[in-house]
Amino acid sequence: GALLALSKPPGLPILGRPGDLSLDALLPALRRRLGLTADLHVVKAPAREYSGLVLLSSCYHTTKKLQQFFTSARQRGQYPATYRAITVGVPAEVEGEICTGLCWQQQGDRAMVVPVPAPGRRSLARKDVKITLTRYQVLSAVGGSALLQLQPRTAFPEQLQVHLTLLLCPALGDHEHSSHVGRVLGVPFFLTPETAPTRTQVLDKELLSQLGLSPRQLHHLPLYIHLQELVLP
């Protein structure tokens, strides 16, 4: 019918400035190639850094109906979106939930998302902080890495990356938040964003060898978080 699904590579933004490469800029060419008469709209798509399922619609009414469904499903306690992630480190528990406040915080000349474990009532009322929740399950673990299923109950920028660092298992290719997980004698612990500046993710020699990468190539490593499945009404 009106729906079209495709798979997005990591690094492709949904929206961009005029002249920049983005999913939105590609939609007219895609419509012409498929011979569609109506314009395509983005119903649901993963963030720029993520890969995975993009849901498009050629009917404005269908687009709005589905977007409202995703919002109301989360409010009802359901999990309409399922992600997969490869992590550096294996969670202590095979399944569970991560629940924390998140907010934007200025760090030098840039803003980043940081956890707020015990937000005050005023910050919640002002919506400076949002309570976020993600359900996770370990699907597989080999050596020091794991394949996780992630189901966010809430929607906040970079929520999955921050929640994985709170599990002390940052996503592979996360050059934004992985520096917040430190190690002493092999034991991981959480570092506050103020004490751990952002840097290219550091991997051990064994994992680098398995990936076929040199330390100099690490900054090219994409983020291994993938939108795997969407539930439709």
Side-chain angles (χ1 to χ4, degrees):
L3 295 178
L4 174 68
L6 49 88
S7 185
K8 184 185 85 68
L12 178 67
I14 308 307
L15 299 173
R17 293 173 296 185
D20 288 351
L21 180 63
S22 67
L23 179 64
D24 187 63
L26 294 170
L27 292 182
L30 179 62
R31 176 180 63 82
R32 291 191 297 270
R33 180 171 293 187
L34 296 175
L36 302 176
T37 55
D39 290 338
L40 288 167
H41 311 279
V42 177
V43 180
K44 181 77 172 175
R48 174 180 186 150
E49 298 83 5
Y50 299 179
S51 62
L53 181 61
V54 172
L55 191 62
L56 305 173
S57 168
S58 58
C59 170
Y60 184 77
H61 176 72
T62 301
T63 300
K64 287 299 175 187
K65 183 178 179 181
L66 286 173
Q67 288 175 340
Q68 290 169 359
F69 165 77
F70 291 131
T71 300
S72 62
R74 289 195 300 266
Q75 291 171 346
R76 292 193 303 269
Q78 298 172 345
Y79 298 83
T82 299
Y83 292 78
R84 297 282 174 87
I86 295 177
T87 61
V88 180
V90 181
E93 304 290 336
V94 294
E95 60 182 307
E97 291 183 342
I98 310 110
C99 183
T100 188
L102 291 180
C103 75
W104 286 98
Q105 188 178 93
Q106 197 69 26
Q107 298 284 340
D109 58 352
R110 58 197 296 274
M112 68 182 305
V113 179
V114 298
V116 184
R121 291 183 181 180
R122 289 184 179 180
S123 61
L124 291 172
R126 292 194 305 265
K127 297 184 179 180
D128 295 334
V129 179
K130 180 176 179 178
I131 298 296
T132 59
L133 187 147
T134 301
R135 186 166 64 182
Y136 75 90
Q137 181 182 359
V138 178
L139 302 178
S140 172
V142 178
S145 298
L147 174 66
L148 266 61
Q149 176 176 284
L150 302 172
Q151 292 178 303
R153 168 90 175 274
T154 51
F156 197 91
E158 303 176 22
Q159 173 178 321
L160 297 181
Q161 295 108 293
V162 177
H163 283 189
L164 287 173
T165 61
L166 292 174
L167 277 180
L168 304 179
C169 301
L172 182 63
D174 185 355
H175 308 298
E176 185 79 12
H177 300 278
S178 61
S179 59
H180 302 155
V181 178
R183 288 183 181 273
V184 173
L185 300 176
V187 178
F189 64 96
F190 185 76
L191 289 163
T192 61
E194 295 83 4
T195 60
T198 298
R199 55 175 165 76
T200 300
Q201 189 174 34
V202 177
L203 301 178
D204 60 36
K205 291 182 179 179
E206 183 180 353
L207 187 51
L208 278 173
S209 175
Q210 290 175 338
L211 292 168
L213 294 174
S214 69
R216 291 184 178 181
Q217 295 172 311
L218 263 177
H219 67 281
H220 293 301
L221 191 67
L223 181 65
Y224 278 75
I225 298 180
H226 181 82
L227 178 53
Q228 176 82 12
E229 181 182 284
L230 287 172
V231 176
L232 301 182

